[in-house]
Amino acid sequence: SKDQARGMFLQCMKELPLFGTTIFTVSHKSDWNMPSTLRLAIGIEGIYFVQVASPEILVHYPLAALQRAPVTRSEIRLY
């Protein structure tokens, strides 16, 4: 049925690593060995840096690791 197909589709989608994330296209200005423009995906599992041209995940930082990381206010710069 239509409802069963919808349920199966959502079940498959939940298996994808970026399911439920909010994705932003961002640029950085640094010596970081990454493309200057990439996608930042933020979700319950952590943050992901993703290629713009493909769905390839370049780096994943799990939420637990981010919560343990010491960051001072002076280290955060948004442009």
Side-chain angles (χ1 to χ4, degrees):
S1 77
K2 191 175 182 178
D3 288 336
Q4 287 175 322
R6 184 178 295 130
M8 288 172 55
F9 173 77
L10 287 174
Q11 198 61 34
C12 290
M13 294 301 293
K14 286 181 182 180
E15 300 297 320
L16 297 174
L18 299 179
F19 178 79
T21 61
T22 301
I23 301 173
F24 304 92
T25 300
V26 297
S27 298
H28 71 91
K29 298 176 184 177
S30 69
D31 294 332
W32 197 23
N33 189 19
M34 291 280 214
S36 60
T37 302
L38 40 88
R39 293 206 170 105
L40 172 65
I42 303 171
I44 193 72
E45 298 294 325
I47 62 172
Y48 301 82
F49 290 97
V50 183
Q51 286 272 23
V52 170
S54 72
E56 179 187 356
I57 296 172
L58 301 171
V59 178
H60 172 225
Y61 295 103
L63 181 59
L66 294 169
Q67 290 171 326
R68 289 190 307 266
V71 177
T72 63
R73 189 176 192 137
S74 64
E75 292 177 312
I76 300 173
R77 290 179 288 168
L78 300 175
Y79 297 95

